[in-house]
Amino acid sequence: MKKRILSLFFIVSSIILANNLLKNGDFQKELSRKVPDKNGYVDTNNSWIKHFNSGGDGSIEIVNGEVIAVSKNENAPEHGVQLIQAPIQLNAGVIYEVSFEIEGEKETEVTVKIGADADRGYYAYSLENIEIKPGRNEYKYSFEMLAETDLKGRFEFWFTKTTTPVKIKDVKLKEIGKIEENRMINLRRFDKQEKYNALRSDINELSELEMSNIKKLKINNIFQKKIDLEKDGKYLVNINGLGIYEIGLVNNDGFTEKVDLDLSKEKNKQIVLEYKNKSEKNGKFYIKKISKDGKLEKVELKKYIGNLLWSDEFEYEGLPLENKWTYDVGGHGWGNAELQYYTNGNPNNVNVKNGNLIITAKKESLENNDYTSTRIVSKNKNDMLYGRIEIKAKLPNAVGTWPAIWMMPTDSEYGEWPKSGEIDIMEHVGYDLGVVHGTVHTEKYYWKKSNQKGAKIDVANPDENFAVYAMEWTPNIIKIYKDNILYFEYEKEELSSEAWPFDKKFYLIMNIAIGGAWGGQQGVDENNFPQEMVVDYVRVYDLGIDNN
């Protein structure tokens, strides 16, 4: 039996004291009239501003040392009615406490977000949806600043779901502790990225019944759970209890990844188990109790996806952010006899509204092409080498449409296509509605040789329902998912770039093509336009891989 001892990562905090970091938290001054710029930056002049966007409507005012707020359009996006204070300096590795008093006549909901402006994709360092009970109550919680120090952070209340008036007073933000660097998986990224990011972070793979069985473990007893093991997959274990244990992963051939865990001095620990063997259904996660004394109170098992490298949540209005996106432009068929002209940031073909990026293909003539569309790219803005990228999207449905979410090499160091590779995270053709494809192309395997490597999977009503299309890429394997279902793998079979050119940076492309060698095989339904691809978000994680 092959064994590998893994490293441990611990959590420690130290308590410190601090004053309120917010200005006008007692609402003795009036609201500022400043407005956010196109990147979301605003200086609220040591006070607050009210801000309505994306169809949000309501009332926010200061009266006798309290903010009184109510929404008039609960169908707007949740960030449609905001009370904002900025800029606020949020320091990496600090634990913050948020507190405020709030009074409501009926049960309602308020959201509190502490986050960034558009330069970081409006990333949320903390996002709390708070159910407000009738009467006056105090709410208090803490969060950890697990990202690069932000000199222009934003403190926000969201009131879109606040359908009955609430009164807020005595809002405070205080430093209450710091995080030890040795709890970070990647010290180099301590000042830059979030730590211990798990896929489906709100879901524990262990059920209540399984947790009950874990609590009953006696010396030398073993708890086992069947799980799907993925090559180069990492699994986060949060554990609380007392005693000494062996925790690990094992496949049907007896290949084991394990760690010995001593909880005699510290009850709370986090570990990451890394599985390096071939992917396998029905592998096992196990816990073996080594000591006689002690028991486990809580165990969480989640898939680990690493630090967030960059994202765009599209929580703004207008054209996509210039510091994240650019465009491929033209209408020369694109090597596939396509019929569209890709415009250069034309709002008729690309726009951000209601929290979504919308790519629109239209039936209109331009430069001797019968259709217009958009091909938006992250080239030289946000390129990546290894990691996980996920895109939540809805697809067009007309016959003749060919939407794609894919990646191309930034510098083509191994030569022109296909020598430097191509990764297709999602392709769909309108005449085969509900089937999406994941594919890779290399010099050795590509479509003109009819030997490209890929697979397909059904998607229910992809034009009506959002699905998450994702790809994980390590130095050894590319894996493609739909809604976290792994349906295609491509392993490095040789060192040659002919089969594996995937050791250089790639960039993301999202587009709707019209017609072409594949999309146009059954013609184009020109009466069913315009057509849209709607993108809720793009997120890129590093899978815990340090490219340096």
Side-chain angles (χ1 to χ4, degrees):
M1 181 181 292
K2 181 178 178 180
K3 297 183 178 181
R4 211 155 72 93
I5 304 298
L6 304 178
S7 299
L8 295 176
F9 307 95
F10 306 100
I11 299 177
V12 181
S13 67
S14 59
I15 304 301
I16 61 176
L17 299 176
N19 296 320
N20 189 8
L21 301 176
L22 298 175
K23 307 298 183 183
N24 199 26
D26 57 1
F27 301 112
Q28 297 301 309
K29 294 174 56 179
E30 64 182 11
L31 294 174
S32 170
R33 296 185 178 182
K34 292 291 188 71
V35 296
D37 66 17
K38 65 178 182 180
N39 288 322
Y41 176 80
V42 62
D43 185 341
T44 60
N45 288 336
N46 294 323
S47 185
W48 305 78
I49 64 167
K50 58 183 178 182
H51 183 56
F52 305 108
N53 63 83
S54 305
D57 188 20
S59 172
I60 300 175
E61 57 182 345
I62 293 178
V63 179
N64 297 327
E66 296 179 318
V67 160
I68 302 176
V70 65
S71 172
K72 297 179 181 178
N73 181 14
E74 62 179 314
N75 294 319
E78 59 182 352
H79 58 276
V81 181
Q82 300 178 340
L83 179 70
I84 302 172
Q85 183 169 140
I88 300 167
Q89 180 170 330
L90 299 166
N91 294 317
V94 170
I95 305 170
Y96 290 95
E97 179 184 86
V98 177
S99 64
F100 56 92
E101 289 186 21
I102 188 166
E103 180 180 351
E105 299 174 359
K106 300 178 181 179
E107 289 189 358
T108 187
E109 181 179 322
V110 169
T111 297
V112 181
K113 176 187 173 184
I114 295 93
D117 62 15
D119 285 344
R120 297 190 185 181
Y122 294 99
Y123 185 76
Y125 309 123
S126 171
L127 184 67
E128 295 287 333
N129 296 314
I130 300 174
E131 295 182 0
I132 305 302
K133 303 298 183 183
R136 181 172 291 276
N137 297 282
E138 182 180 10
Y139 292 86
K140 182 184 295 185
Y141 64 92
S142 63
F143 72 94
E144 299 171 342
M145 179 58 181
L146 297 169
E148 180 183 7
T149 292
D150 192 342
L151 300 178
K152 48 194 183 78
R154 301 178 7 151
F155 189 109
E156 307 171 22
F157 284 100
W158 295 354
F159 298 111
T160 299
K161 304 302 181 184
T162 311
T163 54
T164 60
V166 295
K167 298 178 180 179
I168 297 176
K169 63 182 292 187
D170 199 19
V171 183
K172 297 177 181 177
L173 176 67
K174 295 183 176 181
E175 294 187 12
I176 61 169
K178 287 190 175 181
I179 303 164
E180 297 284 342
E181 289 194 12
N182 66 358
R183 66 168 285 198
M184 308 302 291
I185 284 181
N186 189 337
L187 289 178
R188 186 181 65 84
R189 297 188 181 277
F190 177 70
D191 284 340
K192 294 185 178 180
Q193 305 297 338
E194 184 174 1
K195 144 186 190 305
Y196 288 146
N197 218 322
L199 181 66
R200 299 189 302 175
S201 59
D202 59 333
I203 297 177
N204 184 6
E205 299 295 337
L206 299 173
S207 68
E208 291 185 7
L209 177 59
E210 289 168 330
M211 193 61 240
S212 177
N213 292 331
I214 290 171
K215 290 181 179 181
K216 297 174 183 177
L217 282 177
K218 297 181 179 180
I219 188 170
N220 293 325
N221 284 175
I222 298 176
F223 165 82
Q224 292 184 337
K225 176 184 176 62
K226 287 186 177 180
I227 64 171
D228 293 340
L229 296 174
E230 297 180 13
K231 182 178 176 65
D232 283 2
K234 296 180 180 180
Y235 303 86
L236 172 64
V237 183
N238 298 315
I239 194 161
N240 175 275
L242 294 171
I244 301 173
Y245 302 86
E246 178 181 302
I247 297 178
L249 307 168
V250 60
N251 66 11
N252 291 326
D253 294 329
F255 180 90
T256 302
E257 301 279 1
K258 74 155 197 173
V259 62
D260 295 322
L261 192 61
D262 186 350
L263 298 174
S264 60
K265 295 182 180 180
E266 188 176 4
K267 291 182 62 177
N268 297 292
K269 291 187 178 178
Q270 293 182 308
I271 62 173
V272 173
L273 299 169
E274 183 174 0
Y275 180 74
K276 302 296 286 185
N277 214 26
K278 291 230 179 236
S279 297
E280 182 177 287
K281 298 282 187 182
N282 299 321
K284 293 183 180 68
F285 166 75
Y286 74 91
I287 302 174
K288 180 179 179 181
K289 189 173 184 186
I290 305 299
S291 63
K292 179 179 179 181
D293 298 328
K295 71 173 184 177
L296 295 175
E297 298 295 338
K298 184 178 180 180
V299 180
E300 292 181 335
L301 174 65
K302 303 175 181 181
K303 184 178 177 183
Y304 172 70
I305 55 176
N307 304 303
L308 182 72
L309 293 177
W310 71 275
S311 69
D312 199 335
E313 305 294 327
F314 302 112
E315 293 181 356
Y316 52 92
E317 303 284 319
L319 288 174
L321 296 173
E322 293 181 359
N323 64 341
K324 293 177 184 270
W325 305 103
T326 184
Y327 306 93
D328 287 338
V329 179
H332 44 68
W334 297 91
N336 293 303
E338 297 165 19
L339 305 177
Q340 78 288 334
Y341 186 94
Y342 289 130
T343 59
N344 187 11
N346 186 331
N348 293 323
N349 297 117
V350 63
N351 198 16
V352 177
K353 62 181 179 180
N354 298 328
N356 296 313
L357 167 70
I358 301 173
I359 297 172
T360 304
K362 305 186 75 172
K363 178 70 173 73
E364 60 182 1
S365 297
L366 182 63
E367 300 286 340
N368 298 317
N369 297 268
D370 293 332
Y371 299 85
T372 61
S373 184
T374 285
R375 178 158 146 163
I376 186 171
V377 304
S378 69
K379 186 175 184 180
N380 295 320
K381 305 276 188 176
N382 287 294
D383 310 291
M384 65 179 287
L385 171 62
Y386 310 134
R388 174 184 171 90
I389 184 168
E390 55 185 40
I391 302 94
K392 185 176 181 181
K394 289 193 293 189
L395 308 179
N397 61 15
V399 172
T401 57
W402 182 1
I405 301 170
W406 52 305
M407 303 190 76
M408 287 290 284
T410 302
D411 298 313
S412 295
E413 295 182 43
Y414 294 118
E416 296 303 312
W417 189 93
K419 292 181 178 180
S420 291
E422 175 183 327
I423 305 170
D424 299 326
I425 300 169
M426 187 290 303
E427 287 186 284
H428 178 268
V429 289
Y431 66 80
D432 194 14
L433 186 66
V435 179
V436 298
H437 302 252
T439 315
V440 298
H441 298 271
T442 70
E443 184 178 6
K444 188 173 183 179
Y445 305 110
Y446 69 105
W447 70 271
K448 287 187 177 179
K449 291 184 175 180
S450 299
N451 67 347
Q452 70 270 23
K453 301 294 184 180
K456 61 184 180 179
I457 190 171
D458 292 338
V459 183
N461 303 315
D463 55 329
E464 299 177 3
N465 303 323
F466 281 102
V468 178
Y469 303 100
M471 183 272 294
E472 292 186 6
W473 171 22
T474 78
N476 305 300
I477 192 169
I478 290 171
K479 299 177 286 189
I480 295 180
Y481 306 77
K482 189 276 296 183
D483 287 335
N484 298 320
I485 299 171
L486 174 62
Y487 72 95
F488 172 59
E489 293 183 324
Y490 179 71
E491 289 192 59
K492 180 165 66 175
E493 63 183 37
E494 57 188 62
L495 295 178
S496 160
S497 65
E498 293 181 1
W500 186 265
F502 304 112
D503 57 357
K504 307 296 181 183
K505 287 185 177 182
F506 277 59
Y507 64 94
L508 178 65
I509 308 170
M510 297 184 289
N511 65 282
I512 303 176
I514 307 300
W518 186 16
Q521 285 184 8
Q522 295 188 18
V524 179
D525 182 2
E526 63 181 24
N527 296 316
N528 196 7
F529 280 79
Q531 288 284 309
E532 293 180 344
M533 178 160 66
V534 182
V535 179
D536 184 27
Y537 61 74
V538 177
R539 297 171 184 165
V540 179
Y541 302 86
D542 68 5
L543 295 177
I545 299 172
D546 184 352
N547 287 328
N548 292 329

